Amino acid sequence: MQLFKDFINGIWNENPIFRMVIGICSALAVTTAANNGIAMGMALTFVLTCSSILISLLRNIIPAKVRIPCYIIVVATFTTVVDLFMKAYFPSLYEVMGIFIPLIVVNCIVLARAEAFASKVGPVRATADALGMGLGYTWAITLISMIRELMGAGTLFGYPIMGEGFTPWTIMIMPPGAFIVMGILVGLMNMITRKQVE
């Protein structure tokens, strides 16, 4: 039961994008296409999960005074794995993602979960939390991507959806479009939560 609570917490109650509003740099920058959102979400989920497991296993060994540098080294290791994997097997996607894959090293979500959760619990709970946070980030960033791609280009996952007569809303694939979509979605999520509480 506790594992399920840890898992579901990141998907809804403490969703990193829509609730805690952390790690949004990549959520705003790479979300011009749905494929980008899924790829970024999967990359972050992998790094977050592997880092949380290793940090949880080493929590009693890492000295308190150097814990943050140690966490960064662990995160950097798994980020390098993702970076090289994408560069080798998905070069076109790697080109689109640019600097945002290496920047997972300093993503607030990864470091926050390492400090606040993985360093305090066993590896099983750390895994459940990391998977929940990663999947919460993934669905949030993918939803933002889908809306921006649909309204900004008339396509979804690269396939035309809106038809010949559709006039793309160019603002949606520009930086202000990311803020508009995210603001609306945060507002909707707050409304849903308020209704549930009532």
Side-chain angles (χ1 to χ4, degrees):
M1 191 64 182
Q2 184 60 54
L3 290 179
F4 180 74
K5 284 181 181 176
D6 292 337
F7 176 76
I8 211 73
N9 195 40
I11 292 178
W12 186 264
N13 298 329
E14 287 185 21
N15 184 283
I17 300 294
F18 295 142
R19 288 282 186 227
M20 296 191 290
V21 195
I22 59 173
I24 64 168
C25 181
S26 56
L28 299 173
V30 302
T31 55
T32 53
N35 291 333
N36 299 352
I38 289 177
M40 189 68 200
M42 289 173 61
L44 186 127
T45 302
F46 172 81
V47 172
L48 179 58
T49 304
C50 293
S51 300
S52 291
I53 292 168
L54 189 56
I55 288 166
S56 178
L57 289 169
L58 298 174
R59 71 187 185 280
N60 296 323
I61 299 169
I62 297 172
K65 290 182 180 178
V66 293
R67 69 187 188 285
I68 300 299
C70 290
Y71 298 165
I72 291 173
I73 290 168
V74 169
V75 174
T77 302
F78 292 112
T79 301
T80 303
V81 170
V82 169
D83 190 53
L84 294 175
F85 178 82
M86 287 189 72
K87 192 173 186 177
Y89 294 102
F90 303 98
S92 58
L93 201 54
Y94 180 82
E95 289 294 321
V96 173
M97 296 298 198
I99 192 68
F100 292 100
I101 295 296
L103 281 178
I104 290 174
V105 173
V106 291
N107 191 301
C108 302
I109 300 167
V110 182
L111 293 175
R113 295 327 287 174
E115 175 67 13
F117 202 85
S119 63
K120 295 175 174 60
V121 298
V124 177
R125 284 192 67 192
T127 304
D129 175 74
L131 285 172
M133 286 289 168
L135 293 175
Y137 174 86
T138 302
W139 83 257
I141 197 173
T142 303
L143 181 60
I144 293 169
S145 300
M146 289 170 66
I147 294 169
R148 289 185 69 196
E149 182 182 355
L150 188 63
M151 303 309 291
T155 61
L156 208 50
F157 294 99
Y159 297 103
I161 299 291
M162 300 301 265
E164 294 289 326
F166 175 71
T167 303
W169 299 10
T170 310
I171 194 169
M172 284 300 180
I173 54 173
M174 295 171 66
F179 284 102
I180 292 167
V181 172
M182 189 171 160
I184 291 169
L185 291 174
V186 168
L188 284 172
M189 198 159 177
N190 288 338
M191 282 174 56
I192 292 166
T193 304
R194 204 171 294 123
K195 292 280 185 190
Q196 287 176 338
V197 170
E198 289 171 2

